[in-house]
Amino acid sequence: MQNKKLKSPAMSTLGDIIRRARQAKGWSQRDLSARTHMPQAQISRIENADVDPQVSTLIELARALELELQLIPKSALTAVEATVRSTKARSDERAFQSLMAELMRAAEQAHAMTPDREDIASLLSSLRDLQPLTPALRAGALMGDLMSVQTLLHGFLTYPPAERPRHTQPIRDAAQRLKDLRKMLAHAPAGERPAYSLDDED
Amino acid sequence: MQNKKLKSPAMSTLGDIIRRARQAKGWSQRDLSARTHMPQAQISRIENADVDPQVSTLIELARALELELQLIPKSALTAVEATVRSTKARSDERAFQSLMAELMRAAEQAHAMTPDREDIASLLSSLRDLQPLTPALRAGALMGDLMSVQTLLHGFLTYPPAERPRHTQPIRDAAQRLKDLRKMLAHAPAGERPAYSLDDED
DNA sequence: CTCGGTGATGCCGTTATCTATATCACTTGC
DNA sequence: GCAAGTGATATAGATAACGGCATCACCGAG
């Protein structure tokens, strides 16, 4: 790696994969550094392909990120990639269903406690509208918004009732955001690839 | 990698994978060295895990061996391994069928040229017996023997007729060897795992 | 037995990673 | 505004890979 600055901007390097995996876990470089007893500076250099790391270093990073270094025969590569995609889609779907179920429970509980608040009622109805959306329509979006709704509802339910009015505006905003999102997703270009089906490769 | 000599003897390291891939191609360390402009000494050290190579080094070796370095999510690992196994089994089966077809042609041609030679006749019948064996019964064996039969037949067919008696004993041996193999494989422990089926993981 | 090919090992000089530490510019939230 | 967290970058020293070259023991074929 003689050239530190001439990196291909389009290609997806190993560093990019590490970075994406780290971000998918919501970790900072320092978080990952703590879990690997490896300096944050080194992680930065690796993600930016400023260094050509040793295999043991890469393996240590991968292990912390629940990845495994594998040498795949080129002939099996497309099948393997399809397998990884399909596995990921399945686990994403499980995560969505689980989070959505929890949110529905929380929203219904909040609604029962404060039936007169229309921000809560609106949020609940937004969630009800979102639930039947197929994975193909969601296509990876939406998860982040749901997670912020989660912290929102959690705050509403756990803080003392006197604090509740403080949540009104954020909840109103979140409900509107979800309504907009649903509209956008439902009217997305129709013929898109499913991006996830119960098929199997080969 | 502070300890150069304390390597786990059971675990399959990256070096082992490189070595197996190289041997599967029938290459010596110097062959691989020539294709990677990398010293043979370095390859030896990597295969024996005497060094902790840089990622670029590993990638270069992998490229020459038609392997691809991949970071696989642990959750997808078993599915991916199944995919690789199944892909390999399929390509092995193709290779076997193709080689077997060529051998049948060659043996029949040789038999037609010299109908009185019973060594050739015996070899032909051995091949005919082997052909219907299922992949599960063969289970990876047999391929090496067929390849030596290939060079044998090729020699018999291309050298001048005067040289043909010289092949008699090797051909006789090969035919016997194949007969023994067939007997062994056909009487192998019955309930063995198929090792290859048209299934799909997950 | 000799010869060619195999893989393993040693040495050396160059270059690089890596650890440790500190600092930088930038963004986010209070 | 300040403070905290983010990722990128610098420096210095210890360690190690790497290329090049040489050599070694082993082994199967002629």
Side-chain angles (χ1 to χ4, degrees):
Chain A
M1 296 288 97
Q2 61 277 27
N3 47 355
K4 288 185 179 291
K5 282 299 151 192
L6 289 176
K7 40 188 118 161
S8 44
M11 262 302 284
S12 161
T13 67
L14 279 179
D16 293 332
I17 297 175
I18 293 290
R19 164 173 282 132
R20 274 197 291 271
R22 172 179 63 79
Q23 289 171 342
K25 289 202 174 301
W27 296 348
S28 70
Q29 289 182 347
R30 282 181 175 83
D31 290 336
L32 184 52
S33 160
R35 292 167 197 263
T36 53
H37 47 80
M38 178 186 311
Q40 172 264 334
Q42 189 69 4
I43 295 178
S44 167
R45 280 185 275 257
I46 289 172
E47 287 188 354
N48 291 335
D50 283 338
V51 294
D52 176 14
Q54 325 232 150
V55 168
S56 66
T57 306
L58 184 63
I59 287 180
E60 190 170 11
L61 282 177
R63 200 177 45 80
L65 294 167
E66 297 182 281
L67 298 175
E68 188 99 352
L69 200 63
Q70 292 282 105
L71 286 169
I72 306 290
K74 276 202 165 57
S75 60
L77 202 61
T78 59
V80 162
E81 282 166 348
T83 302
V84 171
R85 268 197 307 275
S86 139
T87 304
K88 169 170 162 39
R90 255 174 271 244
S91 93
D92 284 355
E93 179 60 12
R94 270 196 300 272
F96 170 83
Q97 293 298 348
S98 144
L99 177 55
M100 181 58 97
E102 178 188 335
L103 287 188
M104 293 293 291
R105 263 184 280 114
E108 277 161 1
Q109 179 184 352
H111 184 58
M113 287 165 54
T114 59
D116 50 329
R117 292 188 52 153
E118 42 182 328
D119 55 339
I120 295 287
S122 170
L123 184 60
L124 183 53
S125 102
S126 296
L127 288 173
R128 286 214 176 99
D129 285 350
L130 247 10
Q131 202 167 26
L133 273 191
T134 69
L137 274 181
R138 279 182 271 117
L142 192 49
M143 201 63 182
D145 293 276
L146 288 188
M147 286 175 60
S148 53
V149 169
Q150 183 185 31
T151 70
L152 214 57
L153 276 172
H154 183 262
F156 181 84
L157 288 173
T158 57
Y159 278 77
E163 302 244 1
R164 281 187 193 148
R166 214 161 51 83
H167 293 86
T168 305
Q169 193 53 42
I171 290 181
R172 217 186 289 273
D173 293 347
Q176 188 55 45
R177 169 80 154 279
L178 291 186
K179 280 203 199 318
D180 293 347
L181 251 171
R182 202 206 81 93
K183 207 173 300 179
M184 226 189 61
L185 292 175
H187 295 79
E192 286 293 308
R193 81 275 172 250
Y196 159 61
S197 59
L198 292 175
D199 62 351
D200 269 282
E201 59 283 352
D202 161 302
Chain B
M1 299 285 101
Q2 59 279 29
N3 47 356
K4 287 184 179 293
K5 280 299 151 191
L6 290 177
K7 40 187 118 158
S8 44
M11 264 301 285
S12 159
T13 68
L14 279 179
D16 292 332
I17 297 175
I18 294 290
R19 163 172 283 133
R20 276 197 290 271
R22 173 178 62 80
Q23 288 171 342
K25 288 201 174 303
W27 294 350
S28 70
Q29 289 182 348
R30 282 181 174 83
D31 291 335
L32 184 53
S33 161
R35 291 167 198 264
T36 52
H37 48 79
M38 178 186 310
Q40 171 264 333
Q42 190 70 3
I43 295 177
S44 166
R45 279 184 266 259
I46 290 172
E47 287 188 352
N48 291 335
D50 283 337
V51 294
D52 177 15
Q54 326 232 150
V55 168
S56 66
T57 306
L58 184 61
I59 287 181
E60 188 170 12
L61 282 177
R63 202 177 43 80
L65 293 167
E66 295 182 280
L67 297 174
E68 188 99 351
L69 202 61
Q70 293 282 102
L71 285 170
I72 306 291
K74 274 200 167 56
S75 59
L77 202 60
T78 60
V80 163
E81 283 166 348
T83 303
V84 170
R85 269 198 306 275
S86 137
T87 306
K88 169 170 162 38
R90 258 174 270 245
S91 95
D92 283 356
E93 179 60 11
R94 272 196 300 272
F96 171 81
Q97 294 297 347
S98 144
L99 177 55
M100 181 58 96
E102 180 188 333
L103 287 187
M104 294 292 292
R105 265 184 278 113
E108 278 160 0
Q109 181 185 352
H111 183 58
M113 288 165 53
T114 59
D116 50 332
R117 293 190 49 155
E118 43 182 328
D119 55 337
I120 295 287
S122 170
L123 183 61
L124 182 53
S125 102
S126 295
L127 288 174
R128 286 212 176 103
D129 286 348
L130 248 11
Q131 203 167 25
L133 272 192
T134 69
L137 274 182
R138 277 183 272 116
L142 192 52
M143 202 63 181
D145 293 276
L146 288 187
M147 287 175 60
S148 53
V149 168
Q150 182 185 32
T151 70
L152 214 59
L153 277 172
H154 182 263
F156 181 84
L157 289 171
T158 55
Y159 279 76
E163 301 244 1
R164 280 186 193 149
R166 216 160 52 81
H167 293 85
T168 305
Q169 193 52 41
I171 291 181
R172 215 186 289 271
D173 293 347
Q176 188 55 45
R177 168 78 154 279
L178 292 186
K179 279 202 201 318
D180 292 347
L181 250 171
R182 200 204 82 93
K183 206 172 302 178
M184 227 189 60
L185 293 176
H187 294 79
E192 285 295 306
R193 80 272 176 251
Y196 160 60
S197 59
L198 291 175
D199 62 354
D200 267 286
E201 57 285 349
D202 167 300

